[in-house]
Amino acid sequence: MTLSLSLSRVSKKPAPRRNFRTLPVHLAMLAWSVVTALPLLWAVVSSFKTDNEILNQPWSLPASPQAGNWARAWNQASIGRYFLNSVLVVGGALLLTMLLGSLVAYALARYEFRGNRLVYYVFVAAMFFPVFLALVPLFFVVRQLGLLGTYQGLILVYAAYAVPFTVFFLHSFFRSLPGEVAEAAFIDGCSHAGVFFRVMLPMARPGLVAVGIFNFLGLWNQYLLPLVLNPDPDRYVLAQGLAALSVSQGYRSDWSGLFAGLTIAMLPVLIAYVAFQRHIRAGMTAGAVK
Amino acid sequence: MRHGRWRFLAGAIVPALVLHVVFVLSPYAQAFYLSLTDWTGVAGQAHFVGTDNYARLGGDSLFLDAVRNNALMLLLVPLVTIALGLFLASILHLGGRGGRRGIAGSGAYQIIYFFPQLLSLVVVGVLWSFVYNPNTGLLNGALRGIGLGGLAKSWLASPSFALPAVMVVLIWSSVGFYVVLFSAAIDGIPQELFEAAHLDGASGWATFRNVTFPLVRDSVQVAFVYLGIAALDGFAVVQVMTVGPGGPDGATEVIGLSLYRNAFQYGKFGYASAMGVALFFATLTLAVMALRGSRKAVVA
């Protein structure tokens, strides 16, 4: 949390006086801006070009913007279906993760009981294991439960792998909340669940938003898990579908359609970033430091 | 207040714990056992083979390629990313008086730099396979545009350039995150230290070496662990970008890719699990080394 404060301070600083020393600094900063932004802008611009323009003039602007590329990617190349699959799976997993994660974090942060620490470490230790280690057995566990290639299976697995970080992040958050309001609610006859849902959860909102955005990005960008657990092309999620399109020979010739699909895949993340950029940077850097 | 306490605690913890045990803990635990068997996915057909799988890893040339490539990535990706991140973060703070205040627009720069970190590595991989495309790509187009067309090549299909090309992509996608991380760490350094250095007439480099770097060292260590773990992966980028996949002559083969192919294409689940265990120990070693490093830093 101290990090988020220091981040927000950056923008409030008074503009420094003009100084000749800043020119080379700006040149270096601009150079990296170009390196970062150029490939992204190029992909967006290319998504409006014709195949012929892409093949012959990689640097030019489109003569007339081809909105048809986007329609073709969305409909014929199934990007639309993959997109909706992603929305469904990520939406379900996010809800489940936030519900289970906040319940566990709250119970462990605000209740003393035997084994409290053990349960905490059982959850949190899993964050430090590479997913590749679990991959083979996980495939068979999911298959045995009859969940291979189903939305429910993906949702459950996504949530299972997102809960540890959520618990880790929210645990300290619930600890820092004042106890008086909860005690008052208990005295007024509120149940334990009532205190959690009606008092503590609303108070923890900033933490929930931060970890929620973080989880959204992580789940939306999942690739390895769906690749192994979701073999049905009709249920492909966006990253998986895009990867399949880009390696299949059939679409290798539809450059403009692929660029459009790529741009569509970048959009939700870009929108989330524009809307929440301060939260995102603060939340992710805080997660890295703790 | 005691009323319903245990019922609430059980209701809060048990569902998540069941999910955790079934989908996270039990697979991790099973992997260690499977790595000692010759399981091919048919129930009841697993035989205990001891450390045979591990012995075979040593003679699997493609796996050794993967280890070599991952080791190279482990060395170079964190080093270059952190150097670039530290450089950009510290010059962001150079412009103002006393080497502390950010230059004008530093917030805007950070916003742009950070974006690639948010993209899925699949999206990044597809994007860069377009950039590297020999005929229509941005990179060769740029080289031809500035009269260096002779340098244009089929980057991902050439054994000596494929791995560097992949590493460039990993570095490109993560530098921004570390600029923001290090920048926040520099913001946390007390202003007086920079003012003192300034009054003593310290140069930019001296200030960086004696003030900035020692005080952001913890963040640098965290960055090494994060980037090291990312460099031990590389799966998505390699799988999406390179021909094969695994590149020409295993030039971009990584452990994750070997594991995936052995398990889900060849059905050698026991053997693949041994690779998973090897990867786990590599990660563990990395984390322990970083922890010991930070303890030393505290003592010193």
Side-chain angles (χ1 to χ4, degrees):
Chain A
M1 284 303 106
T2 51
L3 269 175
S4 69
L5 287 175
S6 60
L7 269 179
S8 64
R9 235 190 293 137
V10 173
S11 57
K12 285 193 200 112
K13 275 179 194 151
R17 275 181 304 128
R18 272 192 173 279
N19 184 332
F20 286 114
R21 251 195 343 169
T22 62
L23 186 66
V25 171
H26 275 294
L27 286 179
M29 302 311 287
L30 272 175
W32 191 258
S33 303
V34 170
V35 170
T36 307
L38 194 65
L40 299 164
L41 290 175
W42 176 70
V44 175
V45 170
S46 296
S47 76
F48 289 106
K49 291 160 93 167
T50 63
D51 279 335
N52 200 18
E53 284 172 319
I54 291 173
L55 287 168
N56 296 316
Q57 301 139 346
W59 277 85
S60 72
L61 289 172
S64 63
Q66 306 287 313
N69 295 339
W70 284 53
R72 203 169 62 252
W74 186 265
N75 295 318
Q76 272 143 267
S78 305
I79 290 287
R81 172 185 296 166
Y82 302 150
F83 194 97
L84 297 177
N85 286 340
S86 276
V87 169
L88 195 69
V89 172
V90 172
L94 193 59
L95 271 178
L96 191 62
T97 303
M98 295 307 291
L99 178 71
L100 295 179
S102 59
L103 271 167
V104 171
Y106 171 73
L108 295 176
R110 309 288 300 197
Y111 289 84
E112 290 289 322
F113 59 91
R114 241 162 114 74
N116 180 314
R117 285 269 98 184
L118 177 71
V119 174
Y120 178 75
Y121 286 123
V122 160
F123 275 107
V124 170
M127 287 188 342
F128 302 101
F129 282 52
V131 183
F132 281 103
L133 177 60
L135 214 54
V136 168
L138 181 65
F139 171 80
F140 288 99
V141 167
V142 172
R143 197 176 73 170
Q144 233 162 22
L145 293 171
L147 292 171
L148 208 60
T150 65
Y151 293 130
Q152 303 92 298
L154 272 193
I155 289 173
L156 288 174
V157 172
Y158 275 23
Y161 281 85
V163 160
F165 176 76
T166 311
V167 170
F168 175 67
F169 192 98
L170 289 178
H171 187 262
S172 55
F173 208 86
F174 279 118
R175 286 227 142 162
S176 68
L177 294 179
E180 292 84 1
V181 190
E183 275 161 32
F186 277 124
I187 291 166
D188 288 348
C190 207
S191 68
H192 289 273
V195 169
F196 172 69
F197 283 109
R198 283 152 64 184
V199 180
M200 297 308 273
L201 214 47
M203 283 205 292
R205 213 169 116 170
L208 294 175
V209 170
V211 77
I213 297 164
F214 191 93
N215 280 334
F216 165 76
L217 292 166
L219 296 174
W220 185 265
N221 290 339
Q222 229 2 295
Y223 176 59
L224 186 60
L225 290 175
L227 185 68
V228 170
L229 304 175
N230 189 30
D232 178 357
D234 282 345
R235 294 206 179 87
Y236 275 0
V237 295
L238 195 52
Q240 201 184 2
L242 190 69
L245 283 183
S246 84
V247 294
S248 78
Q249 288 303 318
Y251 284 97
R252 265 291 178 207
S253 51
D254 185 7
W255 289 99
S256 52
L258 262 175
F259 273 111
L262 182 70
T263 310
I264 293 171
M266 290 194 291
L267 272 181
V269 176
L270 181 63
I271 291 168
Y273 186 45
V274 169
F276 299 107
Q277 52 94 4
R278 179 147 297 149
H279 283 290
I280 289 177
R281 287 184 299 147
M284 288 181 78
T285 45
V289 167
K290 271 184 206 153
Chain B
M1 230 163 96
R2 292 246 141 225
H3 179 70
R5 183 175 183 265
W6 284 109
R7 220 178 49 197
F8 172 72
L9 279 181
I13 293 173
V14 170
L17 201 56
V18 169
L19 203 65
H20 193 66
V21 168
V22 171
F23 291 113
V24 182
L25 290 189
S26 93
Y28 280 136
Q30 288 177 53
F32 288 95
Y33 171 71
L34 282 181
S35 75
L36 303 174
T37 70
D38 63 355
W39 199 35
T40 52
V42 185
Q45 293 288 308
H47 303 101
F48 188 81
V49 296
T51 53
D52 277 13
N53 287 326
Y54 294 96
R56 267 171 66 203
L57 284 179
D60 181 337
S61 65
L62 205 51
F63 181 75
L64 295 179
D65 281 345
V67 171
R68 189 202 59 209
N69 293 335
N70 271 132
L72 260 175
M73 288 158 79
L74 190 57
L75 204 67
L76 291 175
V77 172
L79 213 60
V80 177
T81 308
I82 288 172
L84 262 172
L86 263 179
F87 173 70
L88 291 169
S90 41
I91 66 169
L92 259 181
H93 295 263
L94 256 188
R97 275 182 55 218
R100 167 77 198 285
R101 280 203 184 116
I103 54 164
S106 72
Y109 286 127
Q110 289 186 38
I111 290 173
I112 297 173
Y113 293 177
F114 198 78
F115 183 57
Q117 169 75 26
L118 303 171
L119 295 174
S120 136
L121 280 175
V122 170
V123 168
V124 170
V126 174
L127 173 66
W128 276 84
S129 59
F130 289 142
V131 172
Y132 285 134
N133 184 278
N135 305 313
T136 64
L138 190 64
L139 184 56
N140 283 348
L143 287 173
R144 289 186 192 109
I146 55 173
L148 292 172
L151 293 177
K153 54 177 65 67
S154 186
W155 301 95
L156 294 168
S158 128
S160 43
F161 286 100
L163 187 64
V166 168
M167 290 198 275
V168 164
V169 174
L170 291 174
I171 292 165
W172 176 84
S173 77
S174 46
V175 164
F177 177 80
Y178 294 97
V179 173
V180 173
L181 185 72
F182 295 147
S183 197
I186 294 173
D187 274 333
I189 299 175
Q191 175 78 49
E192 296 76 30
L193 293 177
F194 287 107
E195 273 164 12
H198 188 64
L199 286 175
D200 288 348
S203 66
W205 169 245
T207 309
F208 174 79
R209 220 185 41 176
N210 298 315
V211 181
T212 314
F213 187 73
L215 291 167
V216 299
R217 209 152 115 176
D218 282 351
S219 303
V220 171
Q221 250 148 5
V222 171
F224 261 108
V225 176
Y226 268 58
L227 285 161
I229 290 171
L232 282 178
D233 186 340
F235 172 80
V237 172
V238 168
Q239 206 222 18
V240 170
M241 283 176 67
T242 61
V243 284
D249 280 341
T252 59
E253 180 80 7
V254 287
I255 299 173
L257 199 61
S258 274
L259 188 159
Y260 175 80
R261 203 177 33 236
N262 272 289
F264 300 104
Q265 283 173 14
Y266 309 153
K268 297 180 187 167
F269 294 106
Y271 188 49
S273 297
M275 293 179 179
V277 173
L279 194 62
F280 164 74
F281 281 113
T283 313
L284 193 68
T285 311
L286 187 78
V288 168
M289 271 165 55
L291 275 178
R292 290 180 70 172
S294 68
R295 199 178 304 141
K296 209 169 71 194
V298 170
V299 172

